[in-house]
Amino acid sequence: MKRLALESWLLLLYFDSVMCWREFQVLHRIVQEEPIRPVTAARLIPYEELCRAMDYACVLYFKRVLCLQRSSATTVLLRRHGWNTEMVIGAQILPFKSHAWCEINGVVVNDKPYMHDIYEILERY
């Protein structure tokens, strides 16, 4: 778990720097182009364990982690460990709010399961 939490923390740092110094299109491209690494069933780490490692990394991160940063990092982490995951960006009209989360086969894995009830989906990648 320590190695996964460290890997998660480094991904948070990476996406934090991308969000600070680059445009949104760069972050979008990085996540979109991250391949799903082939992993044998015997070596597949449960996605719950990977999401838990990201939760620990967020607690240990030196500043508040934004949903876009967290979802980008989680999507890349899951894909690197063999999971076919999508990052989803949604918005609510009144009051206006936007949010990002990760899904595997249409199921929210790193947030509350009722995100579809709150937000209209703008994009999946």
Side-chain angles (χ1 to χ4, degrees), residues 93-122:
I93 303 297
L94 289 173
F96 180 79
K97 291 193 304 188
S98 61
H99 191 55
W101 64 90
C102 299
E103 294 182 0
I104 296 175
N105 298 324
V107 177
V108 179
V109 295
N110 75 327
D111 212 321
K112 296 166 193 72
Y114 50 84
M115 289 293 106
H116 298 123
D117 298 335
I118 300 172
Y119 298 98
E120 284 295 319
I121 294 173
L122 301 177

Side-chain angles (χ1 to χ4, degrees), residues 1 4-9 12 47-61 63 65 70-71 73-74 77 102 109-112:
M1 180 57 83
L4 292 175
L6 176 60
E7 182 181 357
S8 300
W9 194 91
L12 288 173
Y47 72 84
E48 297 92 348
E49 188 174 333
L50 294 165
C51 289
R52 191 169 30 260
M54 185 60 71
D55 290 342
Y56 291 145
C58 288
V59 169
L60 298 172
Y61 201 66
K63 66 181 199 178
V65 177
R70 178 186 181 136
S71 295
T74 303
L77 179 71
C102 299
V109 295
N110 75 327
D111 212 321
K112 296 166 193 72

Side-chain angles (χ1 to χ4, degrees), residues 13-15 19 24 29-30 53 58 63 65 68 71 79 82 85 94 96 102 114 118:
L13 183 64
Y14 172 67
F15 282 106
M19 290 173 64
F24 174 75
R29 184 176 39 80
I30 291 167
C58 288
K63 66 181 199 178
V65 177
L68 185 61
S71 295
R79 287 180 183 171
T85 186
L94 289 173
F96 180 79
C102 299
Y114 50 84
I118 300 172

Side-chain angles (χ1 to χ4, degrees), residues 9-65:
W9 194 91
L10 291 172
L11 283 168
L12 288 173
L13 183 64
Y14 172 67
F15 282 106
D16 193 10
S17 67
V18 169
M19 290 173 64
C20 278
W21 305 108
R22 308 297 287 270
E23 296 178 354
F24 174 75
Q25 291 85 354
V26 175
L27 180 136
H28 184 275
R29 184 176 39 80
I30 291 167
V31 174
Q32 191 171 32
E33 293 178 358
E34 181 69 33
I36 300 164
R37 187 172 292 159
V39 176
T40 62
R43 297 188 51 95
L44 187 65
I45 299 170
Y47 72 84
E48 297 92 348
E49 188 174 333
L50 294 165
C51 289
R52 191 169 30 260
M54 185 60 71
D55 290 342
Y56 291 145
C58 288
V59 169
L60 298 172
Y61 201 66
F62 56 89
K63 66 181 199 178
R64 183 171 175 242
V65 177

